[in-house]
mmCIF file of all heavy atoms in Angstrom:
data_model
loop_
_atom_site.group_PDB
_atom_site.id
_atom_site.type_symbol
_atom_site.label_atom_id
_atom_site.label_comp_id
_atom_site.label_asym_id
_atom_site.label_seq_id
_atom_site.Cartn_x
_atom_site.Cartn_y
_atom_site.Cartn_z
ATOM 1 N N LEU Z 717 -21.885 -40.747 -7.806
ATOM 2 C CA LEU Z 717 -23.092 -40.090 -8.147
ATOM 3 C C LEU Z 717 -23.365 -39.779 -9.631
ATOM 4 O O LEU Z 717 -24.401 -39.875 -10.137
ATOM 5 C CB LEU Z 717 -23.345 -38.779 -7.405
ATOM 6 C CG LEU Z 717 -23.683 -38.904 -5.842
ATOM 7 C CD1 LEU Z 717 -23.776 -37.593 -5.184
ATOM 8 C CD2 LEU Z 717 -24.981 -39.751 -5.608
ATOM 9 N N PRO Z 718 -22.348 -39.455 -10.462
ATOM 10 C CA PRO Z 718 -22.535 -39.269 -11.833
ATOM 11 C C PRO Z 718 -22.825 -40.524 -12.612
ATOM 12 O O PRO Z 718 -23.087 -40.504 -13.776
ATOM 13 C CB PRO Z 718 -21.157 -38.572 -12.335
ATOM 14 C CG PRO Z 718 -20.508 -38.043 -11.008
ATOM 15 C CD PRO Z 718 -20.897 -39.018 -10.014
ATOM 16 N N LEU Z 719 -22.484 -41.655 -11.830
ATOM 17 C CA LEU Z 719 -22.457 -42.910 -12.689
ATOM 18 C C LEU Z 719 -23.673 -43.832 -12.378
ATOM 19 O O LEU Z 719 -24.098 -44.667 -13.148
ATOM 20 C CB LEU Z 719 -21.170 -43.678 -12.268
ATOM 21 C CG LEU Z 719 -19.872 -43.023 -12.731
ATOM 22 C CD1 LEU Z 719 -18.706 -43.514 -11.851
ATOM 23 C CD2 LEU Z 719 -19.672 -43.232 -14.255
ATOM 24 N N VAL Z 720 -24.210 -43.719 -11.255
ATOM 25 C CA VAL Z 720 -25.274 -44.550 -10.593
ATOM 26 C C VAL Z 720 -26.501 -43.818 -10.031
ATOM 27 O O VAL Z 720 -26.138 -42.774 -9.250
ATOM 28 C CB VAL Z 720 -24.671 -45.584 -9.602
ATOM 29 C CG1 VAL Z 720 -25.802 -46.366 -8.972
ATOM 30 C CG2 VAL Z 720 -23.603 -46.553 -10.285
ATOM 31 N N ASP Z 721 -27.729 -44.189 -10.281
ATOM 32 C CA ASP Z 721 -28.678 -43.549 -9.568
ATOM 33 C C ASP Z 721 -28.572 -43.644 -7.950
ATOM 34 O O ASP Z 721 -28.194 -44.681 -7.397
ATOM 35 C CB ASP Z 721 -30.087 -44.353 -9.877
ATOM 36 C CG ASP Z 721 -31.367 -43.739 -9.362
ATOM 37 O OD1 ASP Z 721 -31.268 -43.214 -8.156
ATOM 38 O OD2 ASP Z 721 -32.358 -43.762 -10.099
ATOM 39 N N PRO Z 722 -28.739 -42.478 -7.281
ATOM 40 C CA PRO Z 722 -28.447 -42.429 -5.968
ATOM 41 C C PRO Z 722 -29.199 -43.547 -5.192
ATOM 42 O O PRO Z 722 -28.651 -44.068 -4.080
ATOM 43 C CB PRO Z 722 -28.883 -41.068 -5.477
ATOM 44 C CG PRO Z 722 -28.766 -40.317 -6.700
ATOM 45 C CD PRO Z 722 -29.069 -41.160 -7.712
ATOM 46 N N ALA Z 723 -30.417 -43.990 -5.576
ATOM 47 C CA ALA Z 723 -31.177 -44.937 -4.960
ATOM 48 C C ALA Z 723 -30.568 -46.327 -5.155
ATOM 49 O O ALA Z 723 -31.006 -47.305 -4.504
ATOM 50 C CB ALA Z 723 -32.598 -44.977 -5.501
ATOM 51 N N HIS Z 724 -29.599 -46.464 -6.043
ATOM 52 C CA HIS Z 724 -28.903 -47.745 -6.389
ATOM 53 C C HIS Z 724 -27.517 -47.913 -5.813
ATOM 54 O O HIS Z 724 -26.774 -48.746 -5.989
ATOM 55 C CB HIS Z 724 -28.756 -47.865 -7.791
ATOM 56 C CG HIS Z 724 -30.067 -48.161 -8.488
ATOM 57 N ND1 HIS Z 724 -30.210 -48.369 -9.833
ATOM 58 C CD2 HIS Z 724 -31.371 -48.272 -8.055
ATOM 59 C CE1 HIS Z 724 -31.452 -48.654 -10.235
ATOM 60 N NE2 HIS Z 724 -32.167 -48.519 -9.115
ATOM 61 N N ILE Z 725 -27.299 -46.999 -4.750
ATOM 62 C CA ILE Z 725 -25.912 -47.049 -4.042
ATOM 63 C C ILE Z 725 -26.181 -47.868 -2.726
ATOM 64 O O ILE Z 725 -27.085 -47.400 -1.980
ATOM 65 C CB ILE Z 725 -25.462 -45.615 -3.805
ATOM 66 C CG1 ILE Z 725 -25.157 -44.980 -5.145
ATOM 67 C CG2 ILE Z 725 -24.102 -45.770 -2.976
ATOM 68 C CD1 ILE Z 725 -24.581 -43.586 -5.007
ATOM 69 N N ILE Z 726 -25.386 -48.910 -2.514
ATOM 70 C CA ILE Z 726 -25.562 -49.666 -1.184
ATOM 71 C C ILE Z 726 -24.216 -49.514 -0.544
ATOM 72 O O ILE Z 726 -23.201 -49.750 -1.067
ATOM 73 C CB ILE Z 726 -25.830 -51.151 -1.668
ATOM 74 C CG1 ILE Z 726 -27.090 -51.383 -2.585
ATOM 75 C CG2 ILE Z 726 -25.915 -52.000 -0.419
ATOM 76 C CD1 ILE Z 726 -28.304 -50.988 -1.894
ATOM 77 N N VAL Z 727 -24.348 -49.251 0.773
ATOM 78 C CA VAL Z 727 -23.290 -49.258 1.649
ATOM 79 C C VAL Z 727 -23.196 -50.518 2.567
ATOM 80 O O VAL Z 727 -24.252 -50.728 3.176
ATOM 81 C CB VAL Z 727 -23.125 -48.030 2.430
ATOM 82 C CG1 VAL Z 727 -21.975 -48.100 3.481
ATOM 83 C CG2 VAL Z 727 -22.926 -46.772 1.531
ATOM 84 N N VAL Z 728 -22.304 -51.404 2.522
ATOM 85 C CA VAL Z 728 -22.153 -52.528 3.415
ATOM 86 C C VAL Z 728 -21.142 -52.204 4.538
ATOM 87 O O VAL Z 728 -19.973 -51.871 4.219
ATOM 88 C CB VAL Z 728 -21.773 -53.883 2.737
ATOM 89 C CG1 VAL Z 728 -21.875 -54.969 3.620
ATOM 90 C CG2 VAL Z 728 -22.647 -53.957 1.496
ATOM 91 N N THR Z 729 -21.562 -52.243 5.775
ATOM 92 C CA THR Z 729 -20.720 -51.792 6.961
ATOM 93 C C THR Z 729 -20.956 -52.739 8.169
ATOM 94 O O THR Z 729 -21.967 -53.442 8.198
ATOM 95 C CB THR Z 729 -20.872 -50.385 7.239
ATOM 96 O OG1 THR Z 729 -19.929 -50.012 8.095
ATOM 97 C CG2 THR Z 729 -22.187 -50.147 7.811
ATOM 98 N N ASN Z 730 -20.170 -52.569 9.156
ATOM 99 C CA ASN Z 730 -20.400 -53.349 10.393
ATOM 100 C C ASN Z 730 -21.524 -52.661 11.074
ATOM 101 O O ASN Z 730 -21.647 -51.437 11.157
ATOM 102 C CB ASN Z 730 -19.183 -53.388 11.191
ATOM 103 C CG ASN Z 730 -19.213 -54.277 12.426
ATOM 104 O OD1 ASN Z 730 -19.735 -53.734 13.433
ATOM 105 N ND2 ASN Z 730 -18.825 -55.412 12.277
ATOM 106 N N ALA Z 731 -22.336 -53.358 11.791
ATOM 107 C CA ALA Z 731 -23.562 -52.829 12.510
ATOM 108 C C ALA Z 731 -23.087 -51.654 13.489
ATOM 109 O O ALA Z 731 -23.819 -50.812 13.798
ATOM 110 C CB ALA Z 731 -24.297 -54.013 13.223
ATOM 111 N N THR Z 732 -21.840 -51.813 13.991
ATOM 112 C CA THR Z 732 -21.389 -50.941 14.936
ATOM 113 C C THR Z 732 -21.304 -49.471 14.344
ATOM 114 O O THR Z 732 -21.532 -48.514 15.039
ATOM 115 C CB THR Z 732 -19.958 -51.262 15.444
ATOM 116 O OG1 THR Z 732 -19.946 -52.638 15.877
ATOM 117 C CG2 THR Z 732 -19.399 -50.301 16.427
ATOM 118 N N TYR Z 733 -21.109 -49.480 13.073
ATOM 119 C CA TYR Z 733 -20.907 -48.129 12.373
ATOM 120 C C TYR Z 733 -22.196 -47.527 11.756
ATOM 121 O O TYR Z 733 -22.189 -46.574 10.956
ATOM 122 C CB TYR Z 733 -19.841 -48.190 11.310
ATOM 123 C CG TYR Z 733 -18.538 -48.828 11.868
ATOM 124 C CD1 TYR Z 733 -17.810 -49.796 11.101
ATOM 125 C CD2 TYR Z 733 -18.021 -48.268 13.064
ATOM 126 C CE1 TYR Z 733 -16.694 -50.247 11.744
ATOM 127 C CE2 TYR Z 733 -16.788 -48.792 13.532
ATOM 128 C CZ TYR Z 733 -16.099 -49.751 12.986
ATOM 129 O OH TYR Z 733 -14.921 -50.273 13.446
ATOM 130 N N ALA Z 734 -23.348 -48.212 12.008
ATOM 131 C CA ALA Z 734 -24.539 -47.671 11.426
ATOM 132 C C ALA Z 734 -24.802 -46.226 11.636
ATOM 133 O O ALA Z 734 -25.185 -45.409 10.708
ATOM 134 C CB ALA Z 734 -25.726 -48.586 11.872
ATOM 135 N N PRO Z 735 -24.629 -45.791 12.925
ATOM 136 C CA PRO Z 735 -24.923 -44.308 13.249
ATOM 137 C C PRO Z 735 -23.963 -43.363 12.479
ATOM 138 O O PRO Z 735 -24.360 -42.276 12.064
ATOM 139 C CB PRO Z 735 -24.664 -44.197 14.796
ATOM 140 C CG PRO Z 735 -24.840 -45.643 15.277
ATOM 141 C CD PRO Z 735 -24.303 -46.518 14.225
ATOM 142 N N ILE Z 736 -22.793 -43.757 12.341
ATOM 143 C CA ILE Z 736 -21.820 -42.885 11.555
ATOM 144 C C ILE Z 736 -22.143 -42.814 10.144
ATOM 145 O O ILE Z 736 -22.184 -41.723 9.455
ATOM 146 C CB ILE Z 736 -20.336 -43.509 11.768
ATOM 147 C CG1 ILE Z 736 -19.967 -43.634 13.188
ATOM 148 C CG2 ILE Z 736 -19.363 -42.434 11.006
ATOM 149 C CD1 ILE Z 736 -18.605 -44.267 13.328
ATOM 150 N N VAL Z 737 -22.524 -43.917 9.526
ATOM 151 C CA VAL Z 737 -22.847 -43.980 8.116
ATOM 152 C C VAL Z 737 -24.119 -43.115 7.927
ATOM 153 O O VAL Z 737 -24.198 -42.257 6.929
ATOM 154 C CB VAL Z 737 -23.184 -45.497 7.570
ATOM 155 C CG1 VAL Z 737 -23.661 -45.404 6.107
ATOM 156 C CG2 VAL Z 737 -21.850 -46.184 7.597
ATOM 157 N N ARG Z 738 -25.071 -43.267 8.753
ATOM 158 C CA ARG Z 738 -26.358 -42.494 8.617
ATOM 159 C C ARG Z 738 -26.085 -41.072 8.769
ATOM 160 O O ARG Z 738 -26.791 -40.116 8.209
ATOM 161 C CB ARG Z 738 -27.376 -43.002 9.602
ATOM 162 C CG ARG Z 738 -27.879 -44.393 9.331
ATOM 163 C CD ARG Z 738 -29.110 -44.714 10.264
ATOM 164 N NE ARG Z 738 -29.648 -46.145 9.940
ATOM 165 C CZ ARG Z 738 -29.476 -47.186 10.663
ATOM 166 N NH1 ARG Z 738 -28.768 -47.010 11.778
ATOM 167 N NH2 ARG Z 738 -29.869 -48.296 10.301
ATOM 168 N N GLN Z 739 -25.201 -40.683 9.691
ATOM 169 C CA GLN Z 739 -24.807 -39.229 9.852
ATOM 170 C C GLN Z 739 -24.115 -38.693 8.668
ATOM 171 O O GLN Z 739 -24.321 -37.540 8.280
ATOM 172 C CB GLN Z 739 -23.917 -39.155 11.115
ATOM 173 C CG GLN Z 739 -23.454 -37.681 11.426
ATOM 174 C CD GLN Z 739 -22.499 -37.645 12.528
ATOM 175 O OE1 GLN Z 739 -21.616 -38.493 12.748
ATOM 176 N NE2 GLN Z 739 -22.611 -36.537 13.269
ATOM 177 N N GLN Z 740 -23.184 -39.478 8.166
ATOM 178 C CA GLN Z 740 -22.363 -38.986 7.007
ATOM 179 C C GLN Z 740 -23.005 -39.015 5.639
ATOM 180 O O GLN Z 740 -22.782 -38.173 4.843
ATOM 181 C CB GLN Z 740 -20.961 -39.697 6.988
ATOM 182 C CG GLN Z 740 -20.066 -39.428 8.149
ATOM 183 C CD GLN Z 740 -18.664 -39.812 7.939
ATOM 184 O OE1 GLN Z 740 -18.212 -40.386 6.829
ATOM 185 N NE2 GLN Z 740 -17.741 -39.575 8.917
#
Side-chain angles (χ1 to χ4, degrees):
L717 287 177
L719 299 160
V720 169
D721 186 320
H724 289 180
I725 298 175
I726 304 294
V727 173
V728 187
T729 191
N730 187 274
T732 305
Y733 304 134
I736 307 176
V737 173
R738 291 189 178 110
Q739 178 187 31
Q740 294 199 355

